Amino acid sequence: MLTAINCANVKWATRLQDGFTVTKIIALLIVIITGFILLGMGSSQNFENSFENSSKDPGSYAIAFYSGLYAYAGWNYLNFVTEELKDPYKNLPRAIMISIPMVTIIYLLANVAYFVVLTPNDMLASNAVAVTFGNRVLGAMAWIIPFFVACSTFGGLNGCIFSTSRIFFVGAREGQMPDAIAMISVNRFTPMPSLALQCILSLVMLCTSDVFLLINYMTFIEAASVAASVGGLLYLRFKSPNIHRPIKFPLIVPITFLIICAFLIVMPLFEKPVECLIGIGIVASGIPVYIIFIAWHKKPKAVANFSANVTTKLQKMLMVVKQEGKIE
């Protein structure tokens, strides 16, 4: 459904995202205000020895960071849609500098509120901590939290669909993926092929019901990809120090970020080697596709014809063409 909305109209998708974001903030404010009222009334027993029996293994910390980073993952999504931003060189840093501190503060306060009501064991045993929190303290109004959690889930998914589909689109446009993915609808100006591909891949991932397994797969590869990007940034900083850089940060920022990424890559290899290797395998499965359809220029006529036929049929079915310029 969300993929269909993103295919139909960009404004519909962004307005839907705005609405889901508002509901998410309302839910978190309800949790925060309720939790701090109870804390002011003296409910602080759950903070006593709250770190008792905690693991001291660095690998466990890295795996724990994976789930935490998944919750904060939206910080980098805006970078994927810079072509659709107005004045991105001004608005992108501004949005990041406003959103990251705000989200961090709200999430930290929400977690403090959770601990006012729930013990660490309660949180570990819960499938949805906010729902368990609501059932404990909101009484007849407890239903409101599951509703807002559902809206929050849809909002997170919608943001992911909207932003990451642009990665496929731009990658194909730059010659790193099949040409068919670099096309947009002639009527709706949305990247339908990339959205459809993302939807298919998402459905394939539903073959497992263990969401934490998927998070570990995704975050390990994401950390590796981000580390490679930041490493390339540092390389260019020293290799080509005089090129134009519209957005600048002190050098210590990418260096620190790269060190953190290295920790998130190396330590899980010892803690969860099988999951990390599966994640690598998932990414490596794209190599044959890249070699056959992109890198192999002197491919047999049958392969070339198959690729051309698929592209043509996709164009006719979705009414899409290659982008000829930036759409305002």
Side-chain angles (χ1 to χ4, degrees):
M1 182 179 70
L2 291 175
T3 297
I5 292 173
N6 277 268
C7 287
N9 193 293
V10 172
K11 288 186 178 180
W12 292 357
T14 55
R15 288 170 182 169
L16 191 66
Q17 187 65 36
D18 292 342
F20 284 142
T21 300
V22 170
T23 58
K24 179 186 293 186
I25 293 175
I26 291 173
L28 289 169
L29 289 177
I30 291 173
V31 170
I32 291 169
I33 293 171
T34 304
F36 275 80
I37 289 174
L38 293 173
L39 182 62
M41 295 171 63
S43 298
S44 60
Q45 64 275 8
N46 291 338
F47 292 97
E48 298 174 4
N49 302 319
S50 55
F51 290 96
E52 188 177 5
N53 298 322
S54 295
S55 173
K56 297 181 180 179
D57 180 20
S60 297
Y61 280 92
I63 296 298
F65 266 108
Y66 278 8
S67 295
L69 289 172
Y70 181 78
Y72 287 90
W75 71 268
N76 58 346
Y77 285 171
L78 192 60
N79 299 279
F80 303 157
V81 292
T82 51
E83 290 186 354
E84 300 181 43
L85 288 177
K86 295 180 179 179
D87 196 1
Y89 297 142
K90 179 188 294 184
N91 290 325
L92 178 61
R94 180 182 296 171
I96 291 175
M97 286 186 288
I98 293 173
S99 62
I100 289 182
M102 184 173 68
V103 170
T104 301
I105 292 170
I106 291 175
Y107 278 15
L108 286 175
L109 292 177
N111 277 278
V112 171
Y114 289 145
F115 275 110
V116 172
V117 176
L118 306 173
T119 66
N121 288 332
D122 290 336
M123 296 180 70
L124 289 172
S126 174
N127 291 323
V129 176
V131 175
T132 305
F133 176 94
N135 291 336
R136 292 278 182 91
V137 299
L138 295 181
M141 294 300 294
W143 62 269
I144 200 171
I145 295 298
F147 171 75
F148 282 139
V149 168
C151 291
S152 174
T153 303
F154 271 93
L157 181 58
N158 183 67
C160 182
I161 291 171
F162 179 81
S163 56
T164 55
S165 62
R166 271 60 178 176
I167 298 178
F168 298 147
F169 172 74
V170 174
R173 192 179 65 189
E174 297 297 321
Q176 302 301 314
M177 298 183 75
D179 288 340
I181 303 174
M183 297 186 180
I184 59 174
S185 169
V186 295
N187 298 318
R188 304 184 182 278
F189 307 122
T190 55
M192 282 190 180
S194 64
L195 286 163
L197 175 63
Q198 185 182 45
C199 181
I200 293 169
L201 293 176
S202 299
L203 292 174
V204 171
M205 291 181 186
L206 292 177
C207 63
T208 176
S209 60
D210 189 345
V211 66
F212 292 104
L213 201 63
L214 290 175
I215 289 173
N216 290 342
Y217 293 160
M218 183 199 75
T219 310
F220 174 77
I221 295 303
E222 185 176 29
S225 301
V226 171
S229 300
V230 176
L233 173 68
L234 290 172
Y235 173 79
L236 290 174
R237 189 72 173 264
F238 292 103
K239 184 70 175 180
S240 306
N242 298 320
I243 62 175
H244 176 61
R245 291 179 170 85
I247 300 175
K248 297 181 180 180
F249 283 93
L251 196 59
I252 188 63
V253 174
I255 291 175
T256 304
F257 194 81
L258 185 61
I259 293 172
I260 294 172
C261 287
F263 170 77
L264 294 175
I265 295 168
V266 174
M267 297 312 302
L269 284 170
F270 297 97
E271 184 71 15
K272 301 279 187 178
V274 175
E275 294 178 11
C276 293
L277 291 175
I278 291 175
I280 294 172
I282 292 172
V283 175
S285 65
I287 295 177
V289 178
Y290 176 80
I291 292 175
I292 294 173
F293 294 102
I294 306 299
W296 190 10
H297 297 293
K298 296 182 179 180
K299 57 177 70 71
K301 189 176 181 179
V303 177
N305 289 339
F306 172 77
S307 179
N309 289 334
V310 170
T311 300
T312 302
K313 289 180 180 179
L314 188 66
Q315 285 184 276
K316 292 179 179 179
M317 182 173 62
L318 299 179
M319 293 296 293
V320 293
V321 294
K322 275 195 171 183
Q323 180 181 351
E324 295 182 354
K326 185 176 179 181
I327 298 172
E328 299 295 339

